[in-house]
Amino acid sequence: MTASGMACWIGGLSLIALTIALHSIALVFIALFLVRLRRRVASFNPGYRPMVWLVILGVAASGGALAFLHASEMAIWAIIYVSIGALGTWTDAVLYSIDSMTTRGASGLEVAEEWRLMGALEAADGMLLFGISTAFLFAVAQQISPMLTAGGSDKAPGIEPSRTRNQER
């Protein structure tokens, strides 16, 4: 492997580690937000229809946060492409990064031969990140489905009012 190939390999793996770490941190905060939302909902025990809208809000907020997170991670790769001279403009770097991370690859943009490994590593990173996001959204769906499946009763199904510490003792 050439020196530039080794630099691409080390740089690409470092970016993968960085973006997965950022992704993990963000998912923890999104999960904490959803736990807080669920506890608040449990404290006032809304009817079925308000519960549906609260679930929609929670899922939409999670999806929006994930979209912003993925865009931020693509921007990190684009910054690197511009800083190493692999692509000349910010616009080209962002488009190339989106194409690589989503494994779409149809932009027609190409980097010089010595930087091609970076695009392949970004595609691997994208598969990992989108897989993690998909698993997260599936876990969210598993947690909220009991709240919506009690046949339209007037009470919010699947949510019990939270207990205080004194009640638990």
Side-chain angles (χ1 to χ4, degrees):
M1 184 177 280
T2 65
S4 65
M6 186 59 74
C8 284
W9 184 253
I10 292 169
L13 291 178
S14 298
L15 283 171
I16 289 171
L18 172 67
T19 55
I20 289 177
L22 290 173
H23 209 79
S24 300
I25 291 165
L27 290 182
V28 167
F29 283 107
I30 294 169
L32 290 172
F33 165 76
L34 292 172
V35 167
R36 279 185 154 162
L37 179 65
R38 186 171 180 164
R39 286 186 180 150
R40 282 215 160 146
V41 167
S43 70
F44 69 86
N45 203 9
Y48 184 73
R49 287 184 186 182
M51 177 61 72
V52 168
W53 287 107
L54 287 168
V55 167
I56 290 169
L57 173 68
V59 172
S62 299
L66 287 171
F68 178 78
L69 182 58
H70 283 280
S72 300
E73 292 155 352
M74 290 174 206
I76 291 169
W77 281 87
I79 289 167
I80 298 301
Y81 290 134
V82 170
S83 68
I84 64 176
L87 291 160
T89 68
W90 171 250
T91 305
D92 285 349
V94 169
L95 180 57
Y96 183 81
S97 181
I98 291 169
D99 266 0
S100 294
M101 191 167 285
T102 61
T103 67
R104 184 180 147 240
S107 68
L109 291 171
E110 292 185 23
V111 294
E113 186 174 338
E114 66 265 17
W115 302 116
R116 287 190 303 187
L117 180 59
M118 292 288 285
L121 289 171
E122 186 178 5
D125 189 27
M127 287 189 291
L128 290 168
L129 293 171
F130 283 109
I132 292 167
S133 293
T134 301
F136 179 79
L137 287 174
F138 182 77
V140 168
Q142 282 188 314
Q143 291 296 310
I144 64 173
S145 64
M147 295 188 284
L148 301 174
T149 57
S153 69
D154 194 36
K155 296 283 185 189
I159 295 220
E160 298 295 323
S162 59
R163 295 181 176 196
T164 63
R165 289 185 183 189
N166 291 335
Q167 289 173 326
E168 290 175 355
R169 292 181 188 171

